[in-house]
Amino acid sequence: MEAYESYQTPLSSRYASKEMAHLFSPAHRFKTWRELWLNLAIAEKQLGLPIPEEALEQMKSNLDLTPEQFDIAAKEEKKRRHDVMAHVHTFGQVAPAAAGIIHLGATSCYVTDNADLIFIRTGLTFLLKSLAVVISRLSAFAAQYRALPTLGFTHFQPAQLTTVGKRATLWIQELLWDLRNIKRARNDIGFRGVKGTTGTQASFLTLFDGDHDKVEELDELVTKLSGFDYAYPVTSQTYSRKIDIDVLAPLASLGATAHKIATDLRLLANLKEVEEPFETTQIGSSAMAYKRNPMRSERVCSLSRHLMVLHQNALMTSSVQWFERTLDDSANRRITLPEAFLTADIVLSTLQNVCEGLVVYPRVIARRIAQELPFMATENIIMSIVKKGGDRQEAHEKIRVLSHEAAHQVKNLGLENDLIARVRNDSYFSPIHEELEQLLEPQTFIGRAPEQVDKFLKEWVQPALDEEELKVAVADGGKVELSV
């Protein structure tokens, strides 16, 4: 027997986009069940079963549930302790000519599993479009700041310079991989089809008096009527729960990407180099009025962790499906699948809002570069003095001593980095004193970062976003305003 738990709209749907919230709403779910029952009846009639045209017309006219029908279904479910049969009887009340043929030959998973596959495929399409918009917004940011030098960090310690735009391309590249993975999962989705109670199609073979060809044709017809190119060749009572693993894996991976981006932005906010949008009337802290907490990036991190762990549910559920099926998947999946899509949707909309309003502080960035660049320039100073006829080892030792003296000023006395002043005051380096300004120009330390940004956006991002369904989404995607 199948589960009788009611499908309820998860709390997170309050904050998801309208289209994603509607996709997993009870109204849409039960309408989809009715559409699947209609498709089955149409195909069975086409293949010779005595189903009156009036039955099909009444089914077509009552695909949407009214509030009264929801009440009837709730009472039926309470009585029968079976959600699918509750809706079979409810549908039969408004389509009486079809009451005797609704669900003919089918098992509950005909509607529950096939509907889930429809929702999954549609949900992945929604996410692809939202992700494309985020990539587009972040790409515009990368292009704008392609050549703005900024201090790089390894181990969150000062490292060689990069650019603000080049750093953004690292985020975009991972989002492009997420786009690829989600698209691959979407395109791989098949239909459970018409397979019967344990996947043998025995009930349909009986209906068609042992005609195997008609049973196969029935499966193909219902699959096409439901908008799928193919059905899984073999199933048990359910479609394999390994499909859920394949779907939630790229969503979990998206969560990891979003978490990394939002974490970087939180760290940059602490450095006061880059900040997420902050409204003029926004309050950062109830106690500390001066605070500008990166709460949107923190929300992305919080929800991304939830998104990442949902994949574990799919793994565990798939691993414990005994033989042709066991029901301990049902209650878990009714929470896990909608929550994964709704959470991913909220993560992307929040990330879009952040990317559309990022604020960069070039002077703060320049000041931090000025504090660290003297140490980074030491190698250039050594090479320059050697070009003027100096000894490399002697120059290295001179610079080493001066660097430690400057480091003492910074670390022990809390003063500014005065390494360059010490170099200017040392007669040993007089041959290159006039070159010091040029040697300390930040643009000379960023390598090919601007050119890398340009090439990456042109050769990788633009082709990905030029696909028709994504191009339309990017063009139509307006700015996201967060109410909370």
Side-chain angles (χ1 to χ4, degrees), residues 2 19 82 102 150 157 185 197 243 255 261 276 282 289 337 341 381 385 431 477:
E2 275 65 39
E19 61 182 9
H82 198 293
I102 295 172
T150 189
Q157 300 298 313
T197 54
I243 301 301
I261 295 171
E276 66 177 38
Q282 183 174 331
L337 290 178
F341 281 89
I381 292 173
I385 200 69

Side-chain angles (χ1 to χ4, degrees), residues 243-308:
I243 301 301
D244 295 343
I245 295 175
D246 292 346
V247 168
L248 295 193
L251 300 193
S253 184
L254 170 64
T257 302
H259 199 294
K260 186 267 193 295
I261 295 171
T263 299
D264 282 357
L265 290 173
R266 290 164 67 188
L267 294 172
L268 289 168
N270 175 264
L271 298 173
K272 298 179 176 59
E273 294 188 2
V274 181
E275 287 184 343
E276 66 177 38
F278 196 90
E279 313 302 334
T280 56
T281 57
Q282 183 174 331
I283 296 173
S285 168
S286 62
M288 295 168 280
Y290 60 88
K291 294 199 74 177
R292 294 169 64 95
N293 297 331
M295 63 89 173
R296 301 173 208 211
S297 297
E298 290 172 321
R299 181 184 299 172
V300 169
C301 288
S302 179
L303 292 173
S304 293
R305 289 200 303 274
H306 179 58
L307 183 57
M308 286 186 276

Side-chain angles (χ1 to χ4, degrees), residues 309-344:
V309 301
L310 286 174
H311 184 226
Q312 294 298 314
N313 273 334
L315 289 166
M316 297 299 291
T317 296
S318 178
S319 70
V320 295
Q321 290 302 288
W322 303 345
F323 301 114
E324 280 64 52
R325 90 123 350 144
T326 179
L327 193 59
D328 62 356
D329 66 333
S330 180
N332 187 303
R333 293 177 68 254
R334 293 181 192 219
I335 299 171
T336 299
L337 290 178
E339 280 295 322
F341 281 89
L342 292 163
T343 302

Side-chain angles (χ1 to χ4, degrees), residues 416-432:
E416 293 297 320
N417 187 335
D418 64 352
L419 175 58
I420 299 305
R422 293 175 182 274
V423 171
R424 287 188 190 281
N425 292 330
D426 192 319
S427 60
Y428 178 80
F429 294 100
S430 58
I432 63 167

Side-chain angles (χ1 to χ4, degrees), residues 170-188:
L170 302 180
W171 304 334
I172 297 167
Q173 180 169 250
E174 294 193 8
L175 292 172
L176 284 177
W177 292 334
D178 294 320
L179 192 77
R180 174 202 63 193
N181 295 342
I182 293 172
K183 187 184 304 177
R184 182 183 296 160
R186 192 271 307 267
N187 293 344
D188 280 349

Side-chain angles (χ1 to χ4, degrees), residues 79-353:
K79 177 173 68 175
R80 302 177 189 280
R81 309 301 288 173
H82 198 293
D83 56 350
V84 173
M85 286 307 298
H87 280 271
V88 167
H89 284 277
T90 302
F91 198 12
Q93 289 189 32
V94 294
I101 58 92
I102 295 172
H103 202 66
L104 183 60
T107 186
S108 294
C109 286
Y110 167 70
V111 288
T112 58
D113 273 35
N114 282 323
D116 280 343
L117 290 166
I118 291 170
F119 303 150
I120 286 170
R121 188 177 67 169
T122 303
L124 291 173
T125 298
F126 289 164
L127 293 178
L128 282 172
K129 294 177 180 179
S130 297
L131 179 52
V133 174
V134 173
I135 292 171
S136 172
R137 301 297 189 266
L138 203 49
S139 295
F141 176 84
Q144 181 179 356
Y145 295 103
R146 57 183 287 280
L148 180 62
T150 189
L151 191 64
F153 291 98
T154 58
H155 314 273
F156 202 31
Q157 300 298 313
Q160 288 294 324
L161 301 192
T162 182
T163 68
V164 172
K166 171 60 192 301
R167 178 177 283 149
T169 63
L170 302 180
W171 304 334
I172 297 167
Q173 180 169 250
E174 294 193 8
L175 292 172
L176 284 177
W177 292 334
D178 294 320
L179 192 77
R180 174 202 63 193
N181 295 342
I182 293 172
K183 187 184 304 177
R184 182 183 296 160
R186 192 271 307 267
N187 293 344
D188 280 349
I189 295 294
F191 199 56
R192 176 191 176 274
V194 181
K195 298 296 197 294
T197 54
T198 57
T200 65
Q201 298 177 310
S203 58
F204 297 105
L205 195 61
T206 300
L207 274 177
F208 290 103
D209 300 320
D211 190 327
H212 288 266
D213 290 338
K214 280 194 174 181
V215 173
E216 288 194 11
E217 192 174 351
L218 177 71
D219 201 2
E220 293 171 3
L221 272 173
V222 174
T223 298
K224 292 281 190 293
L225 285 169
S226 300
F228 284 78
D229 293 330
Y230 83 102
Y232 297 116
V234 293
T235 73
S236 60
Q237 187 174 96
T238 70
Y239 71 77
S240 170
R241 298 312 183 215
K242 194 170 182 66
I243 301 301
D244 295 343
I245 295 175
D246 292 346
V247 168
L248 295 193
L251 300 193
S253 184
L254 170 64
T257 302
H259 199 294
K260 186 267 193 295
I261 295 171
T263 299
D264 282 357
L265 290 173
R266 290 164 67 188
L267 294 172
L268 289 168
N270 175 264
L271 298 173
K272 298 179 176 59
E273 294 188 2
V274 181
E275 287 184 343
E276 66 177 38
F278 196 90
E279 313 302 334
T280 56
T281 57
Q282 183 174 331
I283 296 173
S285 168
S286 62
M288 295 168 280
Y290 60 88
K291 294 199 74 177
R292 294 169 64 95
N293 297 331
M295 63 89 173
R296 301 173 208 211
S297 297
E298 290 172 321
R299 181 184 299 172
V300 169
C301 288
S302 179
L303 292 173
S304 293
R305 289 200 303 274
H306 179 58
L307 183 57
M308 286 186 276
V309 301
L310 286 174
H311 184 226
Q312 294 298 314
N313 273 334
L315 289 166
M316 297 299 291
T317 296
S318 178
S319 70
V320 295
Q321 290 302 288
W322 303 345
F323 301 114
E324 280 64 52
R325 90 123 350 144
T326 179
L327 193 59
D328 62 356
D329 66 333
S330 180
N332 187 303
R333 293 177 68 254
R334 293 181 192 219
I335 299 171
T336 299
L337 290 178
E339 280 295 322
F341 281 89
L342 292 163
T343 302
D345 182 76
I346 300 168
V347 165
L348 287 173
S349 63
T350 309
L351 202 55
Q352 180 184 336
N353 174 264

